[in-house]
């Protein structure tokens, strides 16, 4: 997507003066714009990816999700006007790990966001530090952004893969059914990252359209190291399990001996939850990172966990 002019006009005649570039994604970019005395974030992408607008309309009014003010189409491009936020959790983690107080606050707010989304039958599908943004520089109030991959739980045309690889849940790696629990898994990974300052599962940037079996197997081995053995029923449901597990998916033993030398070295560095957290925080994260989504804690139960009351 290219923006050829410094000024963008919507159908109502409002002039958006482009001031700076905020970010760039797979399908478009986000720029900071000014309209009269107000500043906004303006997302520009091809009009083909317009499902995000419907999701954003559904989350209007939530204090935990970014708010869309308007949207309009100009030729092949879709423009979405958002409130202007500050910096992301990722920006902060590039500098240092977060304090316990900030981790508690951000975790609670994101669980509230997931509880709200679940009430609207929405799965975000891309929880990661880049998509959690601070409202201002003065406090730790945050909002969830980027609903470009979000979908309703009843949609039949679900994305084959969701989330960035380090935050991708095991059921999606194994190409079996996934739902709201995928967001809980991703948030659990983010909480670990906020504590350590580094990605918890450093699985590499493998992608489904060009899969890297070694990186995917390493990711599954990292998960096994932290969370325990994969349940047999999950392995047996997976059509891709034979690439990663013994006996063509009939066993829940991973083929860790077939990892490359590089992957084996990376796997040795995998931290455990108990190395990052004391008992209460560790218990919550362990429940969020349950391999079987049936066993994964819900946003409602997570918000009632003692981690938030001590």
């Amino acid at each position: 997507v290219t923006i050829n002019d410094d000024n963008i006009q919507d159908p109502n005649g409002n002039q958006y003066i482009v001031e700076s570039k905020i970010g760039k994604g797979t399908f478009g970019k986000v720029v900071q714009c000014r309209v009269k005395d107000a500043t906004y974030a303006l997302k520009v992408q091809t009009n083909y990816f317009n499902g995000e607008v419907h999701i954003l309309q559904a989350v209007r009014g939530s204090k935990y999700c970014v708010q869309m003010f308007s949207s309009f189409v100009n030729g092949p491009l879709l423009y979405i006007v958002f409130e202007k936020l500050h910096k992301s959790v990722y920006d902060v983690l590039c500098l240092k790990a977060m304090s316990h107080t900030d981790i508690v606050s951000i975790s609670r707010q994101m669980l509230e966001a997931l509880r709200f989304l679940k009430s609207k039958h929405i799965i975000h599908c891309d929880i990661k530090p880049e998509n959690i943004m601070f409202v201002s520089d003065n406090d730790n109030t945050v909002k969830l952004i980027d609903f470009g991959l979000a979908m309703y739980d009843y949609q039949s045309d679900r994305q084959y893969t969701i989330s960035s690889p380090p935050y991708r849940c095991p059921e999606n790696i194994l190409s079996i059914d996934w739902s709201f629990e995928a967001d809980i898994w991703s948030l659990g990974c983010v909480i670990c990252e906020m504590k350590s300052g580094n990605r918890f599962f450093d699985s590499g940037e493998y992608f489904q359209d060009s899969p890297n079996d070694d990186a995917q197997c390493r990711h599954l081995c990292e998960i096994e190291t932290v969370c325990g053995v994969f349940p047999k029923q999950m392995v047996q449901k997976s059509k891709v399990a034979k690439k990663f597990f013994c006996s063509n998916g009939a066993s829940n033993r991973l083929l860790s001996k077939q990892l490359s030398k590089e992957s084996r070295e990376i796997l040795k560095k995998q931290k455990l939850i108990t190395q990052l957290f004391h008992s209460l925080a560790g218990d919550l994260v362990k429940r969020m990172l349950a391999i079987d989504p049936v066993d994964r804690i819900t946003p409602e139960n997570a918000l009632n966990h003692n981690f938030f009351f001590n």
Side-chain angles (χ1 to χ4, degrees), residues 165-221:
Y167 313 97
R168 189 171 293 158
C169 61
E171 60 268 31
N172 192 244
I173 299 172
L174 294 176
S175 300
I176 58 181
D177 290 342
W178 52 268
S179 190
F180 300 106
E181 299 82 11
D183 285 343
I184 283 288
W185 175 277
S186 299
L187 182 57
C189 296
V190 171
I191 293 173
C192 292
E193 188 168 335
M194 287 192 292
K195 177 65 174 179
S196 68
N198 299 298
R199 284 178 175 171
F200 190 56
F201 296 120
D202 189 13
S203 52
E205 294 298 328
Y206 60 84
F207 295 93
Q208 193 61 40
D209 56 354
S210 180
N212 182 325
D213 288 348
D214 180 65
Q216 288 187 344
C217 189
R218 183 176 77 234
H219 193 176
L220 293 170
C221 288

Side-chain angles (χ1 to χ4, degrees), residues 82-301:
F82 293 99
E83 61 180 317
K84 176 67 173 64
L85 299 177
H86 187 52
K87 58 187 175 183
S88 71
V89 167
Y90 175 81
D91 295 328
V92 174
L93 289 172
C94 286
L95 301 175
K96 62 178 180 178
M98 291 190 163
S99 69
H100 176 75
T101 300
D102 284 343
I103 292 172
V104 171
S105 176
I106 293 168
S107 300
R108 180 190 288 116
Q109 291 174 79
M110 287 300 97
L111 284 167
E112 289 284 8
L114 294 189
R115 176 162 67 175
F116 172 81
L117 292 180
K118 187 176 179 181
S119 73
K120 298 292 185 179
H121 302 280
I122 295 169
I123 313 169
H124 185 274
C125 301
D126 199 17
I127 305 289
K128 57 184 178 181
E130 294 92 326
N131 289 340
I132 303 171
M133 294 198 73
F134 291 90
V135 173
S136 73
D137 197 26
N138 300 322
D139 59 30
N140 55 15
T141 302
V142 292
K143 290 191 176 187
L144 186 59
I145 70 163
D146 196 349
F147 288 79
L149 293 180
M151 60 186 65
Y152 291 99
D153 67 313
Y154 48 76
Q155 283 182 233
S156 58
D157 57 336
R158 291 191 183 182
Q159 301 280 351
Y160 190 61
T161 56
I162 55 172
S163 308
S164 297
Y167 313 97
R168 189 171 293 158
C169 61
E171 60 268 31
N172 192 244
I173 299 172
L174 294 176
S175 300
I176 58 181
D177 290 342
W178 52 268
S179 190
F180 300 106
E181 299 82 11
D183 285 343
I184 283 288
W185 175 277
S186 299
L187 182 57
C189 296
V190 171
I191 293 173
C192 292
E193 188 168 335
M194 287 192 292
K195 177 65 174 179
S196 68
N198 299 298
R199 284 178 175 171
F200 190 56
F201 296 120
D202 189 13
S203 52
E205 294 298 328
Y206 60 84
F207 295 93
Q208 193 61 40
D209 56 354
S210 180
N212 182 325
D213 288 348
D214 180 65
Q216 288 187 344
C217 189
R218 183 176 77 234
H219 193 176
L220 293 170
C221 288
E222 290 171 342
I223 291 171
E224 181 185 66
T225 298
V226 173
C227 308
V229 177
F230 277 73
K232 285 186 178 180
Q233 68 269 19
M234 286 184 68
V235 177
Q236 291 168 351
K237 285 180 184 178
S238 171
K239 294 181 180 179
V240 302
K242 62 183 179 181
K243 293 192 293 185
F244 310 117
F245 293 85
C246 302
S247 304
N248 294 322
S251 168
N252 56 343
R253 287 172 21 194
L254 278 158
L255 296 170
S256 56
K257 292 182 180 180
Q258 294 186 15
L259 290 175
S260 67
K261 182 179 179 180
E262 177 187 8
S263 285
R264 288 198 299 270
E265 290 301 315
I266 293 173
L267 184 59
K268 290 178 183 178
K269 300 175 184 178
Q270 176 61 49
K271 287 187 177 294
L272 303 177
I273 293 172
T274 52
Q275 292 175 291
L276 291 179
F277 297 102
H278 296 301
S279 56
L280 285 177
D283 182 72
L284 174 60
V285 172
K286 183 179 179 181
R287 292 167 184 260
M288 295 176 76
L289 296 181
I291 293 178
D292 192 334
V294 173
D295 298 328
R296 217 165 288 158
I297 195 169
T298 64
E300 297 83 0
N301 288 338

